C-alpha cells in the first residue's frame, strides 16, 4: 500500500479545510494510506467519519501548528520555547517551514512505521521564495514532494531580477529540487506556460468543490426568499472583501431600486478581511460599505456571519439566480465557479484573467471591466432577462467534469506514478493569456 501525506498550515479559511477533506477522502477511498498534517485535524477526521469514508484505519491525522513569518523552529521545542528574532527575511522563514515539515513527518512516520511515498503541500506558496534554490531544500527535506501552487509569483509580484544584474529570479525555483515530483496549478493556461520552464511535470489541478446537498431548512435561505418576494436574487457569497468587487455590487444595488432584483451579501466581513490584498489605508471604503449595510435599501440583505457548513453554503448558492464574482485585481481561480457549475447559476466576472477565460470557454456567464457599475447592471439585465448572446452555451457539466474529484484522483495517482498520465484538460490558449 502506498502512502501520501497532505500538509496545510492555513486553517480558518473555508477552501483550505474543503481541500484537505477532499484530498484525504479521495485517496483513502482509492486505497492509499493517508497522513493529514493540519492545525485542526479533528475537523478532517470527524468529517470523514460522518461521511462513512472507507479505510479510516489507514488515516493518520497529525496536528501541525501554523508558522508565522517570524517563526524559526530550528531550535528548542516548538512552539512554546521558540526563539523569536523579530521579523525574518522571507527566504529564512520559508526554510524554517521546510525544516518544520520535515521534522513533523519524521516524528509521525516513526510512530506509524511507514514513510510517505509522496508529500503533497496543499498550499505550496508558503514554501516558495525568491533567492532560494531546489538544492538548498534537498538538504533540508528528504521526502519526495509535490504541491498545489495557488498564486504563481510572477502574477503576484511581477518579474524580478538579481540586484545590479539582469539575471531573472523565479519565485518557484524550489520546484527544480531533485525530490520534487511535479508542480500543480489551478490555472490550466499558466500550467501550460510554466511547463516549458521546469524540469518536472506541471499539471492543471481541479478546483473541485464540496457537493453536499443544500440544507433545505437553513434559516438564512428562508429569510432571503421571504424578503426577495419573488424578485431575481443576485448573490455575493463567501468571505467579503474589497477585492471581491463589493463596492461595485453595492453601487449596482443602490441604483437598481426600481428593478425586480434582490441583492444578497452573505459571509464574514471584518476590517482586515475587507482590505485583503490591498493597502491598509482603505478605512473610508470600509466605512462606506458598513454605512450602506447598516442602512441598506429594501432590495438588499446583508448577513456578515460565517455560513456554518457546506450544506448551508450550497443552499445559499442554490437560491440565487445569478452569482456576482467580478473580483478586482484577482488573476487566479475561484471555487465559486465550480459552485456555479454545480448549481447551474450564471455568473458575472471581471475581464482579463483566469475566471473570464473559463467563463468564456464554457459559456457560463459574462464579464465586465473591473469596477464598472453600468456594465455590471447591463450584464445582470442580460443574464436575468435572457437577452444574452448565443455564445452562452451554459456548459456547466463540462466545467464540472474538468474540476471533479475523479480528475483530482487521476492527477494525484499520476504524481505517485500509479497511472500513465492525467486525463486531458480543455485548454486552448487565447489572447487573454498574453
Amino acid at each position: 500500500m502506498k502512502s501520501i501525506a497532505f500538509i496545510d498550515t492555513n486553517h480558518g479559511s473555508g477552501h483550505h479545510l474543503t481541500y484537505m477533506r477532499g484530498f484525504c477522502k479521495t485517496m483513502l477511498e482509492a486505497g492509499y494510506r493517508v497522513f493529514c498534517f493540519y492545525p485542526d485535524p479533528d475537523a478532517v477526521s470527524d468529517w470523514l467519519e460522518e461521511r462513512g469514508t472507507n479505510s479510516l484505519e489507514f488515516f493518520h491525522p497529525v496536528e501541525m501548528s501554523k508558522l508565522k513569518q517570524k517563526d524559526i523552529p530550528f531550535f528548542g521545542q516548538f512552539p512554546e520555547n521558540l526563539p523569536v528574532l523579530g521579523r525574518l527575511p522571507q527566504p529564512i522563514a520559508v526554510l524554517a517551514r521546510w525544516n518544520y515539515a520535515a521534522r513533523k513527518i519524521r516524528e509521525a512516520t516513526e510512530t506509524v512505521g511507514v514513510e510517505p511515498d509522496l508529500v503533497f503541500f496543499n498550499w505550496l506558496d508558503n514554501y516558495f521564495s525568491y533567492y532560494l534554490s531546489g538544492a538548498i531544500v534537498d538538504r533540508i527535506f528528504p521526502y519526495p514532494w509535490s504541491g498545489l501552487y495557488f498564486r504563481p509569483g510572477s502574477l503576484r509580484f511581477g518579474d524580478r531580477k538579481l540586484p545590479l544584474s539582469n539575471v531573472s529570479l523565479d519565485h518557484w525555483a524550489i520546484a527544480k529540487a531533485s525530490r520534487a515530483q511535479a508542480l500543480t496549478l489551478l490555472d490550466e493556461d499558466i500550467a501550460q506556460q510554466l511547463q516549458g520552464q521546469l524540469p518536472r511535470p506541471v499539471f492543471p489541478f481541479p478546483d473541485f468543490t464540496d457537493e453536499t446537498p443544500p440544507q433545505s431548512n437553513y434559516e438564512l435561505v428562508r429569510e432571503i426568499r421571504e424578503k426577495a418576494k419573488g424578485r431575481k436574487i443576485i448573490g455575493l457569497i463567501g468571505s467579503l472583501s474589497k477585492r471581491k468587487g463589493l463596492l461595485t455590487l453595492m453601487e449596482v444595488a443602490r441604483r437598481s431600486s426600481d428593478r425586480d432584483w434582490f441583492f444578497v451579501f452573505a459571509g464574514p466581513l471584518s476590517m482586515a478581511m475587507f482590505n485583503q490584498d490591498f493597502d491598509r489605508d482603505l478605512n473610508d471604503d470600509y466605512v462606506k460599505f458598513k454605512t450602506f449595510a447598516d442602512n441598506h435599501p429594501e432590495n438588499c440583505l446583508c448577513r456578515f456571519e460565517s455560513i456554518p457548513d457546506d450544506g448551508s453554503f450550497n443552499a445559499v448558492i442554490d437560491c440565487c439566480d445569478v452569482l456576482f464574482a467580478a473580483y478586482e485585481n484577482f488573476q487566479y481561480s475561484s471555487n465559486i465557479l465550480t459552485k456555479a457549475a454545480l448549481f447551474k447559476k450564471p455568473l458575472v466576472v471581471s475581464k482579463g484573467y483566469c475566471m473570464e477565460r473559463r467563463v468564456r470557454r464554457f459559456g457560463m456567464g459574462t464579464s465586465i471591466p473591473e469596477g464598472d457599475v453600468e456594465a455590471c447592471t447591463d450584464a445582470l439585465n442580460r443574464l436575468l432577462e435572457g437577452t444574452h448572446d448565443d455564445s452562452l452555451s451554459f456548459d456547466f457539466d463540462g466545467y464540472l467534469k474538468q474540476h471533479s474529484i475523479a480528475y483530482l484522483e487521476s492527477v494525484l495517482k499520476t504524481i505517485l506514478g500509479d497511472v500513465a498520465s492525467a486525463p486531458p484538460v480543455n485548454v486552448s490558449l487565447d489572447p487573454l493569456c498574453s
Side-chain angles (χ1 to χ4, degrees), residues 40 211 367 374 400:
D40 184 10
E211 299 185 8
S367 60
E374 291 185 5
L400 277 179

Side-chain angles (χ1 to χ4, degrees), residues 90-99 121 124-141 143 145-147 149 169-183 194 197-200:
Q90 179 69 12
I92 297 177
V94 166
L95 290 178
R97 294 176 189 137
W98 282 100
N99 183 75
F121 293 90
L124 194 52
D125 307 50
N126 287 349
Y127 296 84
F128 281 177
S129 173
Y130 292 105
Y131 307 105
L132 289 179
S133 70
I136 295 174
V137 170
D138 278 333
R139 296 176 64 88
I140 297 173
F141 196 78
Y143 306 98
W145 62 270
S146 180
Y149 191 20
L169 295 171
D170 296 318
H171 184 254
W172 40 262
I174 288 172
K176 297 178 181 179
S178 64
R179 293 188 179 89
Q181 306 300 299
L183 190 63
L194 192 56
Q197 304 176 54
L198 272 176
R200 306 284 178 265

Side-chain angles (χ1 to χ4, degrees), residues 86-356:
R87 190 170 178 82
L88 295 170
Q90 179 69 12
I92 297 177
V94 166
L95 290 178
R97 294 176 189 137
W98 282 100
N99 183 75
Y100 178 50
R103 178 160 66 83
K104 293 296 289 186
I105 294 170
R106 182 175 65 252
E107 292 171 355
T109 56
E110 287 174 355
T111 300
V112 176
V114 176
E115 285 195 356
D117 295 287
L118 178 71
V119 177
F120 191 90
F121 293 90
N122 298 7
W123 184 275
L124 194 52
D125 307 50
N126 287 349
Y127 296 84
F128 281 177
S129 173
Y130 292 105
Y131 307 105
L132 289 179
S133 70
I136 295 174
V137 170
D138 278 333
R139 296 176 64 88
I140 297 173
F141 196 78
Y143 306 98
W145 62 270
S146 180
L148 181 54
Y149 191 20
F150 268 77
R151 300 183 178 184
S154 60
L155 298 184
R156 285 184 291 169
F157 312 122
D159 295 329
R160 288 195 177 184
K161 298 182 183 297
L162 278 172
L164 305 178
S165 78
N166 199 39
V167 178
S168 296
L169 295 171
D170 296 318
H171 184 254
W172 40 262
I174 288 172
K176 297 178 181 179
S178 64
R179 293 188 179 89
Q181 306 300 299
L183 190 63
T184 70
L185 290 88
L186 291 176
D187 188 325
E188 56 273 15
D189 297 303
I190 303 302
Q192 190 176 71
Q193 292 175 357
L194 192 56
Q195 177 63 85
Q197 304 176 54
L198 272 176
R200 306 284 178 265
V202 180
F203 296 113
F205 204 79
D207 198 350
F208 71 94
T209 194
D210 186 287
E211 299 185 8
T212 301
Q215 180 62 264
S216 59
N217 60 351
Y218 183 35
E219 176 62 23
L220 176 57
V221 171
R222 184 202 61 76
E223 184 179 3
I224 291 170
R225 294 193 184 282
E226 181 178 287
K227 292 186 175 180
K229 298 177 182 177
R231 287 173 287 186
K232 299 290 187 180
I233 299 170
I234 300 151
L236 175 48
I237 315 300
S239 298
L240 301 175
S241 66
K242 181 177 171 64
R243 73 165 173 81
K244 293 286 188 75
L246 203 58
L247 296 178
T248 302
L249 192 61
M250 175 193 78
E251 192 59 32
V252 172
R254 196 197 304 274
R255 298 183 189 182
S256 302
S257 58
D258 61 334
R259 295 178 181 270
D260 197 30
W261 299 350
F262 189 75
F263 297 83
V264 176
F265 302 84
L269 173 75
S270 66
M271 176 75 76
M273 188 172 294
F274 181 86
N275 293 338
Q276 184 181 11
D277 292 347
F278 285 81
D279 294 333
R280 296 297 181 182
D281 58 354
L282 298 174
N283 292 356
D284 289 347
D285 284 339
Y286 178 78
V287 171
K288 181 191 299 185
F289 180 72
K290 278 291 291 177
T291 301
F292 166 83
D294 292 341
N295 303 277
H296 59 76
E298 185 275 337
N299 66 341
C300 295
L301 184 147
C302 300
R303 284 292 177 273
F304 304 140
E305 303 168 355
S306 294
I307 299 175
D309 51 48
D310 294 307
S312 300
F313 193 96
N314 288 346
V316 178
I317 295 291
D318 193 36
C319 82
C320 295
D321 294 288
V322 170
L323 297 175
F324 176 86
Y327 299 168
E328 298 178 11
N329 193 30
F330 187 80
Q331 304 183 44
Y332 317 105
S333 177
S334 171
N335 194 249
I336 200 68
L337 269 66
T338 318
K339 292 290 189 187
L342 179 63
F343 293 103
K344 303 188 185 320
K345 306 296 179 180
L347 302 112
V348 177
V349 299
S350 291
K351 288 185 177 293
Y353 302 125
C354 173
M355 292 170 68
E356 185 198 3

Side-chain angles (χ1 to χ4, degrees), residues 348-408:
V348 177
V349 299
S350 291
K351 288 185 177 293
Y353 302 125
C354 173
M355 292 170 68
E356 185 198 3
R357 294 196 299 268
R358 289 180 175 172
V359 165
R360 189 167 69 181
R361 282 177 189 149
F362 292 92
M364 293 166 56
T366 189
S367 60
I368 62 170
E370 288 183 9
D372 192 324
V373 173
E374 291 185 5
C376 184
T377 303
D378 180 61
L380 289 171
N381 186 66
R382 285 184 284 113
L383 289 174
L384 291 169
E385 300 302 322
T387 58
H388 50 75
D389 59 52
D390 294 337
S391 67
L392 297 190
S393 59
F394 298 113
D395 184 15
F396 297 120
D397 291 339
Y399 190 91
L400 277 179
K401 183 177 180 180
Q402 183 166 314
H403 297 275
S404 65
I405 292 292
Y407 188 83
L408 163 69

